[in-house]
Amino acid sequence: MSRGQSLGVIAVLDGLDAVFRIEESDLSLFQTGMLATVTGPGFAGQSLGGHLLAISGEADAGSSGEKTLFEARVRLDALPADVARNMRIGMTAQVSLVLYETEQAITVPVSALNNGAPLVQVQKTDGTLETRPVTLGRIGADRVEILSGLSVGEKVVWTP
């Protein structure tokens, strides 16, 4: 043994963390306490719940090159006994976090916007089309939240 060399790791299975990295440009999307789901090839099909515990205040020393990365930790909820038996420190995992959730959102495909402008075509009950201004909320990869300008049940039409 030499000075500073690690002798071992102490772990408690009811306090496991999943560690992952977040790109600098995405930091503003994350807040501690967010709900998380953790899965992995060694989890026997189980999805484990947890919450975002912390995001490092300093970039990873090894994040040179194109992207600056920050370490983040998800604390797993208490594990059922059958799952805990199969867990091993260092297993690979996929982490999914709920970035935003609302129960009463109206969303449309991004392609339904009029050339990216906050306008959509609504088919009226007589079959004619009306161009309607809408107020946009959060924009995802393929859908956009409509905060106002549309009602539940209205038919939005567009050409993909």
Side-chain angles (χ1 to χ4, degrees):
M1 302 298 303
S2 62
R3 177 176 278 203
Q5 183 176 355
S6 175
L7 295 175
V9 176
I10 299 173
V12 179
L13 287 177
D14 62 352
L16 284 179
D17 292 352
V19 179
F20 63 103
R21 288 169 179 55
I22 299 173
E23 291 182 22
E24 177 180 21
S25 60
D26 293 332
L27 282 174
S28 64
L29 301 173
F30 296 88
Q31 296 177 18
T32 57
M34 290 178 138
L35 294 178
T37 302
V38 180
T39 59
F43 294 11
Q46 290 274 349
S47 291
L48 308 177
H51 63 278
L52 184 59
L53 183 65
I55 300 172
S56 173
E58 183 178 351
D60 285 349
S63 63
S64 61
E66 299 174 13
K67 298 176 183 175
T68 301
L69 302 173
F70 291 80
E71 183 176 284
R73 292 181 173 274
V74 165
R75 172 65 44 95
L76 298 178
D77 296 338
L79 302 175
D82 60 325
V83 174
R85 253 192 318 273
N86 296 319
M87 295 302 287
R88 303 290 182 268
I89 305 302
M91 294 175 86
T92 58
Q94 291 81 42
V95 177
S96 300
L97 287 118
V98 177
L99 298 179
Y100 176 71
E101 183 176 54
T102 182
E103 291 185 20
Q104 298 188 359
I106 296 175
T107 65
V108 298
V110 172
S111 58
L113 298 176
N114 188 350
N115 293 322
L119 300 168
V120 295
Q121 293 288 320
V122 178
Q123 185 175 17
K124 296 174 23 177
T125 54
D126 64 5
T128 61
L129 296 179
E130 171 188 6
T131 300
R132 177 113 32 101
V134 292
T135 303
L136 304 180
R138 296 196 180 220
I139 300 173
D142 60 347
R143 299 195 69 78
V144 61
E145 179 183 27
I146 305 297
L147 298 176
S148 66
L150 281 179
S151 297
V152 174
E154 289 188 299
K155 186 175 183 180
V156 175
V157 295
W158 72 98
T159 303

